[in-house]
Amino acid sequence: MTQLILVRRDLSTSTAADILSFSFRKDAYLPYTKLSAAFIADIADTDEYAEAKLYVNGSLIHHGCIETLDLRKSGKVQKVYLTSSGFTSQLCRNQIEPGLKMGVSLNSLMDSFCTLPYVEHENNADTSNYIYVKQNTAMWDAVASLSYKLAGTYPYIRGTNTVMITPFLLPVEHRFTESKCLFSGITADRRKLGSNYHMADINGEYGHYDLEDADTLSYKLVRHTYAELDLRFLYSPQQALEYRDKMDCRAMKSRYIVYSDYNGEDLWDRLYIDGQPVGRIGFVEINGSSKGIITRTGVYSDKFPKE
């Protein structure tokens, strides 16, 4: 069962009477959940509605701000078209004051700069590292930089709006039989890969910090990039090149299944196919209509750790 609830600015709610279709996306490398939906509802104007909640089979999978709302009336029937991003999307739209910030923990980074509605985070008070914030740096970029320094990971969203930087400790095991799924697949995406990374030193000279990705070159892809000294890794410049390489390799390979209905998968749960472990879930995509619900879920293989 699918339920879409609209929340007004005064926090009163209204439930969509008839959901015509919806599309939901959650990805380990997307800092928020994404929802688009078409439904029938008697809404007088667009001004009063601020939030959207989507429940599938009793689970709240999306809670976000309404970005677009389009009311289309034909005769006595009004169709509503909505798009919404999870509240963690505002981490991408709020900037941090530039400068070097020592002794920063995830807790202080998330709690000290600005308050975002409904956004929560993993409890991590480790202050052993620093961040360097360039001009126009979004909060999410600072979280990603700190996540890599503290745990060697890329941050992800658990639940609807909880920021995590370490593997979820109590993952649910989701087990599927391939023959009972609609289909399965393996993908490769090499569009962002780099082969050679070059970074200037403190004097702006090149030749001191370089990294070659042999895997990219083995695909006959030659892509050189040059960058100024990355002050985020001032104490370990070579790590800056390794970070750039890993960022470009995100989601470079995936294995997935597609099946009818939705079984409650979330990021960093464990996926098994025919009894064999595949890995930590890296993406969940759900599409629904009057014909039913179809879910695509799977794991990523890249250079960020998955355990």
Side-chain angles (χ1 to χ4, degrees), residues 86-125:
F87 283 99
T88 51
S89 64
Q90 296 186 73
L91 290 167
C92 303
R93 297 172 182 173
N94 282 275
Q95 297 179 358
I96 297 180
E97 179 183 0
L100 181 66
K101 304 183 186 301
M102 304 297 295
V104 177
S105 68
L106 179 66
N107 291 353
S108 65
L109 178 60
M110 292 293 299
D111 298 338
S112 300
F113 291 99
C114 67
T115 301
L116 300 176
Y118 307 111
V119 174
E120 299 179 347
H121 60 84
E122 172 183 339
N123 180 18
N124 191 311

Short mmCIF file of all heavy atoms in Angstrom, two decimals, residues 86-125:
data_model
loop_
_atom_site.label_atom_id
_atom_site.label_comp_id
_atom_site.label_asym_id
_atom_site.label_seq_id
_atom_site.Cartn_x
_atom_site.Cartn_y
_atom_site.Cartn_z
N GLY A 86 14.44 15.21 -0.22
CA GLY A 86 14.59 15.05 1.21
C GLY A 86 15.24 16.28 1.82
O GLY A 86 15.98 17.02 1.16
N PHE A 87 14.99 16.50 3.11
CA PHE A 87 15.48 17.71 3.75
C PHE A 87 17.00 17.79 3.80
O PHE A 87 17.56 18.89 3.94
CB PHE A 87 14.88 17.82 5.15
CG PHE A 87 13.46 18.28 5.14
CD1 PHE A 87 12.41 17.37 5.27
CD2 PHE A 87 13.14 19.62 4.99
CE1 PHE A 87 11.09 17.79 5.24
CE2 PHE A 87 11.82 20.05 4.96
CZ PHE A 87 10.79 19.14 5.08
N THR A 88 17.69 16.66 3.66
CA THR A 88 19.15 16.73 3.62
C THR A 88 19.65 17.41 2.35
O THR A 88 20.83 17.76 2.26
CB THR A 88 19.77 15.32 3.72
OG1 THR A 88 19.16 14.46 2.75
CG2 THR A 88 19.59 14.74 5.11
N SER A 89 18.77 17.63 1.36
CA SER A 89 19.17 18.37 0.15
C SER A 89 19.62 19.78 0.51
O SER A 89 20.40 20.40 -0.22
CB SER A 89 18.03 18.42 -0.86
OG SER A 89 16.92 19.14 -0.33
N GLN A 90 19.15 20.30 1.65
CA GLN A 90 19.52 21.65 2.05
C GLN A 90 20.97 21.74 2.51
O GLN A 90 21.54 22.82 2.62
CB GLN A 90 18.56 22.15 3.12
CG GLN A 90 17.13 22.26 2.59
CD GLN A 90 16.18 22.90 3.58
OE1 GLN A 90 16.24 24.11 3.81
NE2 GLN A 90 15.31 22.09 4.16
N LEU A 91 21.60 20.58 2.76
CA LEU A 91 23.03 20.57 3.02
C LEU A 91 23.81 21.01 1.78
O LEU A 91 24.95 21.47 1.89
CB LEU A 91 23.49 19.18 3.45
CG LEU A 91 23.02 18.72 4.84
CD1 LEU A 91 23.26 17.22 5.00
CD2 LEU A 91 23.72 19.50 5.93
N CYS A 92 23.21 20.82 0.61
CA CYS A 92 23.87 21.22 -0.64
C CYS A 92 23.64 22.69 -0.96
O CYS A 92 24.27 23.24 -1.87
CB CYS A 92 23.34 20.37 -1.80
SG CYS A 92 23.55 18.60 -1.59
N ARG A 93 22.73 23.33 -0.22
CA ARG A 93 22.33 24.70 -0.55
C ARG A 93 22.66 25.70 0.55
O ARG A 93 22.25 26.86 0.49
CB ARG A 93 20.83 24.72 -0.86
CG ARG A 93 20.48 23.87 -2.08
CD ARG A 93 19.01 23.71 -2.29
NE ARG A 93 18.72 22.85 -3.44
CZ ARG A 93 17.51 22.43 -3.77
NH1 ARG A 93 16.46 22.79 -3.04
NH2 ARG A 93 17.33 21.66 -4.82
N ASN A 94 23.39 25.24 1.54
CA ASN A 94 23.85 26.12 2.60
C ASN A 94 25.37 26.09 2.63
O ASN A 94 25.98 25.02 2.63
CB ASN A 94 23.30 25.68 3.96
CG ASN A 94 21.86 26.08 4.15
OD1 ASN A 94 21.56 27.20 4.57
ND2 ASN A 94 20.94 25.17 3.84
N GLN A 95 25.95 27.27 2.63
CA GLN A 95 27.40 27.37 2.60
C GLN A 95 27.96 27.62 3.99
O GLN A 95 27.28 28.14 4.87
CB GLN A 95 27.82 28.50 1.65
CG GLN A 95 27.42 28.25 0.20
CD GLN A 95 27.82 29.39 -0.71
OE1 GLN A 95 28.38 30.40 -0.29
NE2 GLN A 95 27.53 29.23 -2.00
N ILE A 96 29.23 27.24 4.15
CA ILE A 96 29.93 27.43 5.42
C ILE A 96 30.94 28.58 5.26
O ILE A 96 31.53 28.75 4.19
CB ILE A 96 30.66 26.13 5.83
CG1 ILE A 96 29.64 25.02 6.06
CG2 ILE A 96 31.49 26.34 7.07
CD1 ILE A 96 30.26 23.71 6.46
N GLU A 97 31.12 29.30 6.33
CA GLU A 97 32.10 30.38 6.33
C GLU A 97 33.48 29.82 5.96
O GLU A 97 33.93 28.84 6.55
CB GLU A 97 32.15 31.03 7.70
CG GLU A 97 33.16 32.17 7.83
CD GLU A 97 33.23 32.73 9.23
OE1 GLU A 97 32.50 32.23 10.11
OE2 GLU A 97 34.03 33.66 9.44
N PRO A 98 34.16 30.44 4.99
CA PRO A 98 35.46 29.92 4.54
C PRO A 98 36.52 29.99 5.63
O PRO A 98 36.45 30.79 6.57
CB PRO A 98 35.82 30.85 3.37
CG PRO A 98 34.53 31.49 2.97
CD PRO A 98 33.71 31.60 4.20
N GLY A 99 37.52 29.11 5.49
CA GLY A 99 38.67 29.16 6.39
C GLY A 99 39.05 27.80 6.91
O GLY A 99 38.40 26.79 6.65
N LEU A 100 40.14 27.74 7.64
CA LEU A 100 40.64 26.52 8.25
C LEU A 100 39.96 26.33 9.60
O LEU A 100 39.97 27.22 10.46
CB LEU A 100 42.16 26.62 8.44
CG LEU A 100 42.86 25.41 9.05
CD1 LEU A 100 42.77 24.21 8.11
CD2 LEU A 100 44.32 25.74 9.36
N LYS A 101 39.38 25.15 9.80
CA LYS A 101 38.64 24.88 11.03
C LYS A 101 39.23 23.61 11.67
O LYS A 101 39.09 22.52 11.13
CB LYS A 101 37.15 24.72 10.73
CG LYS A 101 36.57 25.94 10.00
CD LYS A 101 35.10 25.85 9.76
CE LYS A 101 34.62 27.03 8.91
NZ LYS A 101 34.89 28.34 9.52
N MET A 102 39.87 23.81 12.80
CA MET A 102 40.55 22.73 13.48
C MET A 102 39.61 22.04 14.47
O MET A 102 38.65 22.62 14.97
CB MET A 102 41.77 23.27 14.23
CG MET A 102 42.77 24.02 13.36
SD MET A 102 43.52 22.99 12.09
CE MET A 102 44.44 21.83 13.12
N GLY A 103 39.92 20.77 14.77
CA GLY A 103 39.18 20.03 15.78
C GLY A 103 37.70 19.90 15.49
O GLY A 103 36.87 20.00 16.40
N VAL A 104 37.37 19.66 14.24
CA VAL A 104 35.97 19.56 13.83
C VAL A 104 35.51 18.11 13.91
O VAL A 104 36.19 17.20 13.41
CB VAL A 104 35.75 20.10 12.41
CG1 VAL A 104 34.31 19.93 11.97
CG2 VAL A 104 36.14 21.57 12.35
N SER A 105 34.37 17.87 14.53
CA SER A 105 33.75 16.55 14.53
C SER A 105 32.50 16.60 13.66
O SER A 105 32.02 17.69 13.29
CB SER A 105 33.36 16.12 15.94
OG SER A 105 32.29 16.94 16.43
N LEU A 106 31.96 15.44 13.33
CA LEU A 106 30.69 15.43 12.60
C LEU A 106 29.61 16.12 13.41
O LEU A 106 28.79 16.87 12.87
CB LEU A 106 30.27 13.99 12.27
CG LEU A 106 28.94 13.86 11.52
CD1 LEU A 106 29.03 14.46 10.13
CD2 LEU A 106 28.51 12.39 11.43
N ASN A 107 29.62 15.88 14.72
CA ASN A 107 28.61 16.51 15.58
C ASN A 107 28.69 18.03 15.51
O ASN A 107 27.67 18.71 15.34
CB ASN A 107 28.78 16.06 17.02
CG ASN A 107 28.44 14.59 17.22
OD1 ASN A 107 27.95 13.93 16.31
ND2 ASN A 107 28.69 14.07 18.41
N SER A 108 29.89 18.58 15.64
CA SER A 108 30.01 20.03 15.63
C SER A 108 29.74 20.61 14.25
O SER A 108 29.16 21.70 14.13
CB SER A 108 31.40 20.45 16.12
OG SER A 108 32.42 20.01 15.23
N LEU A 109 30.14 19.90 13.21
CA LEU A 109 29.89 20.37 11.85
C LEU A 109 28.40 20.44 11.55
O LEU A 109 27.92 21.42 10.96
CB LEU A 109 30.59 19.45 10.84
CG LEU A 109 30.41 19.78 9.36
CD1 LEU A 109 30.93 21.17 9.04
CD2 LEU A 109 31.12 18.74 8.50
N MET A 110 27.66 19.43 11.96
CA MET A 110 26.24 19.37 11.67
C MET A 110 25.41 20.26 12.60
O MET A 110 24.33 20.72 12.23
CB MET A 110 25.75 17.93 11.77
CG MET A 110 26.28 17.00 10.69
SD MET A 110 25.66 17.41 9.04
CE MET A 110 23.90 17.18 9.26
N ASP A 111 25.90 20.49 13.81
CA ASP A 111 25.08 21.17 14.81
C ASP A 111 25.41 22.64 15.00
O ASP A 111 24.61 23.38 15.58
CB ASP A 111 25.21 20.47 16.17
CG ASP A 111 24.72 19.03 16.14
OD1 ASP A 111 23.91 18.71 15.25
OD2 ASP A 111 25.17 18.23 16.99
N SER A 112 26.58 23.09 14.54
CA SER A 112 27.03 24.43 14.91
C SER A 112 26.78 25.51 13.87
O SER A 112 26.74 26.70 14.21
CB SER A 112 28.54 24.40 15.21
OG SER A 112 28.82 23.51 16.27
N PHE A 113 26.63 25.13 12.60
CA PHE A 113 26.61 26.16 11.55
C PHE A 113 25.20 26.65 11.23
O PHE A 113 24.96 27.85 11.12
CB PHE A 113 27.31 25.63 10.30
CG PHE A 113 28.79 25.46 10.49
CD1 PHE A 113 29.32 24.22 10.78
CD2 PHE A 113 29.64 26.54 10.43
CE1 PHE A 113 30.68 24.06 10.99
CE2 PHE A 113 31.00 26.41 10.64
CZ PHE A 113 31.52 25.15 10.92
N CYS A 114 24.26 25.77 11.08
CA CYS A 114 22.88 26.17 10.87
C CYS A 114 21.98 24.98 11.20
O CYS A 114 22.41 23.84 11.14
CB CYS A 114 22.62 26.68 9.45
SG CYS A 114 22.77 25.44 8.15
N THR A 115 20.74 25.29 11.54
CA THR A 115 19.78 24.26 11.91
C THR A 115 18.87 23.97 10.71
O THR A 115 18.23 24.88 10.18
CB THR A 115 18.92 24.71 13.11
OG1 THR A 115 19.79 24.98 14.22
CG2 THR A 115 17.93 23.63 13.49
N LEU A 116 18.83 22.72 10.31
CA LEU A 116 18.00 22.31 9.18
C LEU A 116 16.85 21.44 9.69
O LEU A 116 17.07 20.53 10.49
CB LEU A 116 18.83 21.51 8.16
CG LEU A 116 20.03 22.26 7.56
CD1 LEU A 116 20.83 21.35 6.65
CD2 LEU A 116 19.57 23.50 6.80
N PRO A 117 15.63 21.70 9.24
CA PRO A 117 14.48 20.94 9.74
C PRO A 117 14.59 19.45 9.41
O PRO A 117 14.93 19.08 8.29
CB PRO A 117 13.28 21.59 9.03
CG PRO A 117 13.86 22.27 7.83
CD PRO A 117 15.24 22.70 8.22
N TYR A 118 14.32 18.63 10.43
CA TYR A 118 14.22 17.17 10.32
C TYR A 118 15.53 16.45 10.01
O TYR A 118 15.56 15.23 9.93
CB TYR A 118 13.18 16.78 9.27
CG TYR A 118 11.83 17.43 9.46
CD1 TYR A 118 11.37 18.39 8.56
CD2 TYR A 118 11.02 17.10 10.54
CE1 TYR A 118 10.14 19.01 8.74
CE2 TYR A 118 9.79 17.70 10.72
CZ TYR A 118 9.35 18.65 9.82
OH TYR A 118 8.14 19.25 10.01
N VAL A 119 16.63 17.17 9.83
CA VAL A 119 17.90 16.54 9.49
C VAL A 119 18.58 16.06 10.77
O VAL A 119 18.79 16.82 11.71
CB VAL A 119 18.82 17.51 8.72
CG1 VAL A 119 20.20 16.88 8.51
CG2 VAL A 119 18.19 17.88 7.39
N GLU A 120 18.96 14.77 10.79
CA GLU A 120 19.67 14.18 11.90
C GLU A 120 21.00 13.63 11.40
O GLU A 120 21.28 13.64 10.19
CB GLU A 120 18.83 13.08 12.55
CG GLU A 120 17.50 13.58 13.10
CD GLU A 120 16.65 12.48 13.71
OE1 GLU A 120 16.98 11.29 13.48
OE2 GLU A 120 15.68 12.80 14.41
N HIS A 121 21.81 13.13 12.32
CA HIS A 121 23.12 12.62 11.90
C HIS A 121 23.62 11.59 12.89
O HIS A 121 23.20 11.53 14.05
CB HIS A 121 24.13 13.76 11.77
CG HIS A 121 24.37 14.52 13.04
ND1 HIS A 121 25.26 14.11 14.01
CD2 HIS A 121 23.82 15.66 13.51
CE1 HIS A 121 25.27 14.96 15.00
NE2 HIS A 121 24.39 15.92 14.74
N GLU A 122 24.53 10.78 12.39
CA GLU A 122 25.24 9.82 13.23
C GLU A 122 25.96 10.56 14.36
O GLU A 122 26.47 11.67 14.17
CB GLU A 122 26.25 9.08 12.35
CG GLU A 122 27.22 8.18 13.06
CD GLU A 122 28.22 7.54 12.10
OE1 GLU A 122 27.92 7.47 10.88
OE2 GLU A 122 29.29 7.12 12.58
N ASN A 123 26.01 9.95 15.52
CA ASN A 123 26.71 10.55 16.66
C ASN A 123 28.20 10.23 16.54
O ASN A 123 28.63 9.11 16.77
CB ASN A 123 26.14 9.99 17.96
CG ASN A 123 26.83 10.59 19.19
OD1 ASN A 123 27.49 11.62 19.10
ND2 ASN A 123 26.69 9.93 20.32
N ASN A 124 28.98 11.22 16.17
CA ASN A 124 30.42 11.04 16.02
C ASN A 124 31.11 12.30 16.52
O ASN A 124 31.02 13.36 15.90
CB ASN A 124 30.78 10.76 14.57
CG ASN A 124 32.22 10.29 14.41
OD1 ASN A 124 33.14 10.91 14.95
ND2 ASN A 124 32.42 9.20 13.68
N ALA A 125 31.78 12.20 17.66
CA ALA A 125 32.41 13.35 18.31
C ALA A 125 33.92 13.39 18.11
O ALA A 125 34.62 14.13 18.81
CB ALA A 125 32.08 13.35 19.80
#
